[in-house]
Amino acid sequence: LTAEWCVPCQRMKRHVPSLSKLGAFVAVDIDRDRKLANLVAGGEEFTIPRVVVFRHGQPTATYLGRDLDALADYSASIPRGGP
């Protein structure tokens, strides 16, 4: 989940190429698609940026917040065959 006004979200974009190599990667802007953002957030409060990993249609891992180093560690921890 992302938003145009979210500075950490914009900085996170540099990680998109490495994350997208692991599988499909979709950015959902919470201001443009509220219904899909609600679905991805699972009814929780919108904490952005948020990366949710799905496997077989089910969420298996979630990264929340603005700690870009943690996002890099998170993406490195996912098996290279995809989530």
Side-chain angles (χ1 to χ4, degrees), residues 42-72:
E44 295 178 16
E45 221 176 280
F46 291 141
T47 301
I48 57 174
R50 176 187 295 239
V51 175
V52 181
V53 178
F54 287 85
R55 184 179 181 128
H56 305 294
Q58 298 297 317
T60 59
T62 300
Y63 165 82
L64 300 173
R66 60 184 183 175
D67 185 351
L68 299 178
D69 292 333
L71 177 59

mmCIF file of all heavy atoms in Angstrom, residues 42-72:
data_model
loop_
_atom_site.group_PDB
_atom_site.id
_atom_site.type_symbol
_atom_site.label_atom_id
_atom_site.label_comp_id
_atom_site.label_asym_id
_atom_site.label_seq_id
_atom_site.Cartn_x
_atom_site.Cartn_y
_atom_site.Cartn_z
ATOM 1 N N GLY A 42 -6.716 -6.058 5.017
ATOM 2 C CA GLY A 42 -7.447 -7.030 5.815
ATOM 3 C C GLY A 42 -8.293 -6.389 6.901
ATOM 4 O O GLY A 42 -8.461 -6.960 7.974
ATOM 5 N N GLY A 43 -8.792 -5.196 6.623
ATOM 6 C CA GLY A 43 -9.634 -4.507 7.588
ATOM 7 C C GLY A 43 -8.863 -3.776 8.671
ATOM 8 O O GLY A 43 -9.449 -3.127 9.523
ATOM 9 N N GLU A 44 -7.532 -3.871 8.636
ATOM 10 C CA GLU A 44 -6.710 -3.167 9.612
ATOM 11 C C GLU A 44 -6.549 -1.708 9.208
ATOM 12 O O GLU A 44 -6.849 -1.329 8.084
ATOM 13 C CB GLU A 44 -5.318 -3.807 9.702
ATOM 14 C CG GLU A 44 -5.320 -5.217 10.230
ATOM 15 C CD GLU A 44 -3.923 -5.813 10.263
ATOM 16 O OE1 GLU A 44 -2.940 -5.052 10.165
ATOM 17 O OE2 GLU A 44 -3.831 -7.039 10.371
ATOM 18 N N GLU A 45 -6.041 -0.912 10.121
ATOM 19 C CA GLU A 45 -5.728 0.476 9.833
ATOM 20 C C GLU A 45 -4.690 0.532 8.716
ATOM 21 O O GLU A 45 -3.853 -0.357 8.601
ATOM 22 C CB GLU A 45 -5.113 1.097 11.096
ATOM 23 C CG GLU A 45 -5.580 2.481 11.400
ATOM 24 C CD GLU A 45 -4.992 2.971 12.699
ATOM 25 O OE1 GLU A 45 -5.524 2.578 13.751
ATOM 26 O OE2 GLU A 45 -4.002 3.709 12.647
ATOM 27 N N PHE A 46 -4.744 1.587 7.905
ATOM 28 C CA PHE A 46 -3.749 1.738 6.841
ATOM 29 C C PHE A 46 -2.438 2.229 7.429
ATOM 30 O O PHE A 46 -2.309 3.378 7.819
ATOM 31 C CB PHE A 46 -4.200 2.745 5.781
ATOM 32 C CG PHE A 46 -5.355 2.293 4.951
ATOM 33 C CD1 PHE A 46 -6.340 3.178 4.596
ATOM 34 C CD2 PHE A 46 -5.460 0.997 4.514
ATOM 35 C CE1 PHE A 46 -7.405 2.787 3.823
ATOM 36 C CE2 PHE A 46 -6.512 0.582 3.746
ATOM 37 C CZ PHE A 46 -7.487 1.489 3.397
ATOM 38 N N THR A 47 -1.466 1.355 7.502
ATOM 39 C CA THR A 47 -0.107 1.739 7.833
ATOM 40 C C THR A 47 0.666 1.654 6.539
ATOM 41 O O THR A 47 0.692 0.599 5.899
ATOM 42 C CB THR A 47 0.504 0.770 8.870
ATOM 43 O OG1 THR A 47 -0.304 0.779 10.036
ATOM 44 C CG2 THR A 47 1.919 1.167 9.226
ATOM 45 N N ILE A 48 1.250 2.768 6.126
ATOM 46 C CA ILE A 48 1.978 2.771 4.865
ATOM 47 C C ILE A 48 3.383 3.307 5.086
ATOM 48 O O ILE A 48 3.590 4.106 5.989
ATOM 49 C CB ILE A 48 1.234 3.577 3.779
ATOM 50 C CG1 ILE A 48 0.989 4.999 4.222
ATOM 51 C CG2 ILE A 48 -0.040 2.894 3.390
ATOM 52 C CD1 ILE A 48 0.383 5.880 3.156
ATOM 53 N N PRO A 49 4.329 2.833 4.275
ATOM 54 C CA PRO A 49 4.149 1.809 3.256
ATOM 55 C C PRO A 49 3.891 0.434 3.873
ATOM 56 O O PRO A 49 4.277 0.161 5.000
ATOM 57 C CB PRO A 49 5.465 1.814 2.489
ATOM 58 C CG PRO A 49 6.458 2.381 3.435
ATOM 59 C CD PRO A 49 5.709 3.309 4.342
ATOM 60 N N ARG A 50 3.216 -0.397 3.113
ATOM 61 C CA ARG A 50 2.907 -1.768 3.530
ATOM 62 C C ARG A 50 3.153 -2.678 2.334
ATOM 63 O O ARG A 50 2.677 -2.424 1.239
ATOM 64 C CB ARG A 50 1.446 -1.881 3.950
ATOM 65 C CG ARG A 50 1.018 -3.303 4.299
ATOM 66 C CD ARG A 50 -0.464 -3.395 4.537
ATOM 67 N NE ARG A 50 -0.851 -2.639 5.702
ATOM 68 C CZ ARG A 50 -1.454 -3.156 6.765
ATOM 69 N NH1 ARG A 50 -1.756 -4.425 6.792
ATOM 70 N NH2 ARG A 50 -1.781 -2.400 7.783
ATOM 71 N N VAL A 51 3.900 -3.732 2.566
ATOM 72 C CA VAL A 51 4.125 -4.767 1.552
ATOM 73 C C VAL A 51 3.510 -6.047 2.095
ATOM 74 O O VAL A 51 3.844 -6.477 3.198
ATOM 75 C CB VAL A 51 5.629 -4.973 1.258
ATOM 76 C CG1 VAL A 51 5.829 -6.130 0.297
ATOM 77 C CG2 VAL A 51 6.252 -3.695 0.709
ATOM 78 N N VAL A 52 2.609 -6.640 1.330
ATOM 79 C CA VAL A 52 1.967 -7.890 1.719
ATOM 80 C C VAL A 52 2.344 -8.953 0.696
ATOM 81 O O VAL A 52 2.196 -8.739 -0.501
ATOM 82 C CB VAL A 52 0.427 -7.750 1.779
ATOM 83 C CG1 VAL A 52 -0.214 -9.059 2.215
ATOM 84 C CG2 VAL A 52 0.022 -6.614 2.707
ATOM 85 N N VAL A 53 2.845 -10.078 1.170
ATOM 86 C CA VAL A 53 3.211 -11.196 0.298
ATOM 87 C C VAL A 53 2.068 -12.196 0.324
ATOM 88 O O VAL A 53 1.611 -12.601 1.392
ATOM 89 C CB VAL A 53 4.510 -11.866 0.785
ATOM 90 C CG1 VAL A 53 4.851 -13.063 -0.088
ATOM 91 C CG2 VAL A 53 5.650 -10.860 0.820
ATOM 92 N N PHE A 54 1.600 -12.558 -0.871
ATOM 93 C CA PHE A 54 0.530 -13.544 -1.000
ATOM 94 C C PHE A 54 1.083 -14.817 -1.612
ATOM 95 O O PHE A 54 1.915 -14.781 -2.506
ATOM 96 C CB PHE A 54 -0.590 -13.007 -1.905
ATOM 97 C CG PHE A 54 -1.420 -11.947 -1.271
ATOM 98 C CD1 PHE A 54 -1.028 -10.619 -1.308
ATOM 99 C CD2 PHE A 54 -2.610 -12.266 -0.633
ATOM 100 C CE1 PHE A 54 -1.795 -9.626 -0.725
ATOM 101 C CE2 PHE A 54 -3.383 -11.284 -0.042
ATOM 102 C CZ PHE A 54 -2.975 -9.957 -0.088
ATOM 103 N N ARG A 55 0.618 -15.931 -1.116
ATOM 104 C CA ARG A 55 0.949 -17.240 -1.702
ATOM 105 C C ARG A 55 -0.347 -18.021 -1.798
ATOM 106 O O ARG A 55 -1.042 -18.185 -0.794
ATOM 107 C CB ARG A 55 1.963 -17.962 -0.825
ATOM 108 C CG ARG A 55 2.398 -19.269 -1.449
ATOM 109 C CD ARG A 55 3.424 -19.972 -0.588
ATOM 110 N NE ARG A 55 3.800 -21.181 -1.264
ATOM 111 C CZ ARG A 55 5.026 -21.546 -1.533
ATOM 112 N NH1 ARG A 55 6.018 -20.802 -1.151
ATOM 113 N NH2 ARG A 55 5.274 -22.664 -2.163
ATOM 114 N N HIS A 56 -0.647 -18.480 -3.005
ATOM 115 C CA HIS A 56 -1.884 -19.217 -3.259
ATOM 116 C C HIS A 56 -3.103 -18.409 -2.812
ATOM 117 O O HIS A 56 -4.046 -18.953 -2.224
ATOM 118 C CB HIS A 56 -1.866 -20.588 -2.597
ATOM 119 C CG HIS A 56 -0.677 -21.420 -2.976
ATOM 120 N ND1 HIS A 56 -0.477 -21.883 -4.258
ATOM 121 C CD2 HIS A 56 0.380 -21.844 -2.242
ATOM 122 C CE1 HIS A 56 0.655 -22.563 -4.301
ATOM 123 N NE2 HIS A 56 1.187 -22.552 -3.090
ATOM 124 N N GLY A 57 -3.041 -17.096 -3.027
ATOM 125 C CA GLY A 57 -4.173 -16.230 -2.732
ATOM 126 C C GLY A 57 -4.338 -15.832 -1.278
ATOM 127 O O GLY A 57 -5.274 -15.124 -0.927
ATOM 128 N N GLN A 58 -3.413 -16.256 -0.421
ATOM 129 C CA GLN A 58 -3.496 -15.940 0.996
ATOM 130 C C GLN A 58 -2.283 -15.105 1.425
ATOM 131 O O GLN A 58 -1.161 -15.392 1.001
ATOM 132 C CB GLN A 58 -3.537 -17.224 1.833
ATOM 133 C CG GLN A 58 -4.726 -18.098 1.558
ATOM 134 C CD GLN A 58 -6.035 -17.409 1.899
ATOM 135 O OE1 GLN A 58 -6.171 -16.762 2.923
ATOM 136 N NE2 GLN A 58 -7.007 -17.518 1.007
ATOM 137 N N PRO A 59 -2.489 -14.106 2.285
ATOM 138 C CA PRO A 59 -1.343 -13.328 2.763
ATOM 139 C C PRO A 59 -0.462 -14.194 3.664
ATOM 140 O O PRO A 59 -0.956 -14.869 4.557
ATOM 141 C CB PRO A 59 -1.986 -12.184 3.548
ATOM 142 C CG PRO A 59 -3.364 -12.641 3.876
ATOM 143 C CD PRO A 59 -3.758 -13.637 2.823
ATOM 144 N N THR A 60 0.841 -14.204 3.380
ATOM 145 C CA THR A 60 1.768 -15.030 4.156
ATOM 146 C C THR A 60 2.770 -14.209 4.951
ATOM 147 O O THR A 60 3.372 -14.726 5.886
ATOM 148 C CB THR A 60 2.539 -15.997 3.241
ATOM 149 O OG1 THR A 60 3.252 -15.240 2.272
ATOM 150 C CG2 THR A 60 1.600 -16.974 2.554
ATOM 151 N N ALA A 61 2.971 -12.948 4.573
ATOM 152 C CA ALA A 61 3.911 -12.081 5.294
ATOM 153 C C ALA A 61 3.541 -10.634 5.022
ATOM 154 O O ALA A 61 3.000 -10.314 3.971
ATOM 155 C CB ALA A 61 5.342 -12.348 4.844
ATOM 156 N N THR A 62 3.846 -9.782 5.988
ATOM 157 C CA THR A 62 3.549 -8.362 5.853
ATOM 158 C C THR A 62 4.728 -7.549 6.361
ATOM 159 O O THR A 62 5.307 -7.863 7.402
ATOM 160 C CB THR A 62 2.295 -7.979 6.675
ATOM 161 O OG1 THR A 62 1.195 -8.743 6.194
ATOM 162 C CG2 THR A 62 1.964 -6.506 6.530
ATOM 163 N N TYR A 63 5.111 -6.534 5.607
ATOM 164 C CA TYR A 63 6.119 -5.575 6.028
ATOM 165 C C TYR A 63 5.400 -4.245 6.210
ATOM 166 O O TYR A 63 4.699 -3.785 5.313
ATOM 167 C CB TYR A 63 7.234 -5.427 4.987
ATOM 168 C CG TYR A 63 8.061 -4.201 5.231
ATOM 169 C CD1 TYR A 63 9.080 -4.214 6.178
ATOM 170 C CD2 TYR A 63 7.790 -3.021 4.572
ATOM 171 C CE1 TYR A 63 9.807 -3.077 6.441
ATOM 172 C CE2 TYR A 63 8.508 -1.877 4.837
ATOM 173 C CZ TYR A 63 9.518 -1.918 5.771
ATOM 174 O OH TYR A 63 10.222 -0.775 6.040
ATOM 175 N N LEU A 64 5.530 -3.632 7.369
ATOM 176 C CA LEU A 64 4.903 -2.349 7.663
ATOM 177 C C LEU A 64 5.961 -1.305 7.982
ATOM 178 O O LEU A 64 6.990 -1.630 8.565
ATOM 179 C CB LEU A 64 3.982 -2.454 8.882
ATOM 180 C CG LEU A 64 2.830 -3.429 8.799
ATOM 181 C CD1 LEU A 64 2.143 -3.530 10.146
ATOM 182 C CD2 LEU A 64 1.850 -2.972 7.745
ATOM 183 N N GLY A 65 5.680 -0.067 7.642
ATOM 184 C CA GLY A 65 6.496 1.027 8.122
ATOM 185 C C GLY A 65 7.447 1.621 7.127
ATOM 186 O O GLY A 65 7.410 1.330 5.944
ATOM 187 N N ARG A 66 8.307 2.456 7.660
ATOM 188 C CA ARG A 66 9.184 3.245 6.805
ATOM 189 C C ARG A 66 10.645 2.856 6.910
ATOM 190 O O ARG A 66 11.504 3.541 6.379
ATOM 191 C CB ARG A 66 9.015 4.710 7.128
ATOM 192 C CG ARG A 66 9.357 5.043 8.551
ATOM 193 C CD ARG A 66 9.081 6.472 8.833
ATOM 194 N NE ARG A 66 9.488 6.765 10.212
ATOM 195 C CZ ARG A 66 9.459 7.932 10.733
ATOM 196 N NH1 ARG A 66 9.044 8.949 10.034
ATOM 197 N NH2 ARG A 66 9.838 8.121 11.971
ATOM 198 N N ASP A 67 10.963 1.778 7.591
ATOM 199 C CA ASP A 67 12.346 1.356 7.748
ATOM 200 C C ASP A 67 12.812 0.650 6.478
ATOM 201 O O ASP A 67 12.575 -0.529 6.279
ATOM 202 C CB ASP A 67 12.472 0.439 8.961
ATOM 203 C CG ASP A 67 13.912 0.054 9.246
ATOM 204 O OD1 ASP A 67 14.798 0.355 8.426
ATOM 205 O OD2 ASP A 67 14.145 -0.553 10.299
ATOM 206 N N LEU A 68 13.494 1.398 5.615
ATOM 207 C CA LEU A 68 13.891 0.857 4.321
ATOM 208 C C LEU A 68 14.949 -0.236 4.445
ATOM 209 O O LEU A 68 15.005 -1.144 3.621
ATOM 210 C CB LEU A 68 14.369 1.982 3.413
ATOM 211 C CG LEU A 68 13.302 3.037 3.125
ATOM 212 C CD1 LEU A 68 13.876 4.140 2.258
ATOM 213 C CD2 LEU A 68 12.096 2.411 2.454
ATOM 214 N N ASP A 69 15.774 -0.179 5.475
ATOM 215 C CA ASP A 69 16.745 -1.257 5.683
ATOM 216 C C ASP A 69 16.027 -2.561 6.016
ATOM 217 O O ASP A 69 16.409 -3.632 5.550
ATOM 218 C CB ASP A 69 17.724 -0.906 6.797
ATOM 219 C CG ASP A 69 18.653 0.232 6.406
ATOM 220 O OD1 ASP A 69 18.907 0.406 5.196
ATOM 221 O OD2 ASP A 69 19.118 0.950 7.308
ATOM 222 N N ALA A 70 14.968 -2.468 6.807
ATOM 223 C CA ALA A 70 14.191 -3.660 7.145
ATOM 224 C C ALA A 70 13.527 -4.231 5.894
ATOM 225 O O ALA A 70 13.436 -5.444 5.732
ATOM 226 C CB ALA A 70 13.145 -3.347 8.208
ATOM 227 N N LEU A 71 13.078 -3.361 4.988
ATOM 228 C CA LEU A 71 12.481 -3.841 3.744
ATOM 229 C C LEU A 71 13.517 -4.586 2.909
ATOM 230 O O LEU A 71 13.225 -5.642 2.348
ATOM 231 C CB LEU A 71 11.888 -2.687 2.941
ATOM 232 C CG LEU A 71 11.292 -3.072 1.589
ATOM 233 C CD1 LEU A 71 10.179 -4.094 1.757
ATOM 234 C CD2 LEU A 71 10.792 -1.845 0.865
ATOM 235 N N ALA A 72 14.731 -4.074 2.849
ATOM 236 C CA ALA A 72 15.792 -4.755 2.099
ATOM 237 C C ALA A 72 16.078 -6.124 2.719
ATOM 238 O O ALA A 72 16.221 -7.123 2.000
ATOM 239 C CB ALA A 72 17.048 -3.898 2.071
#
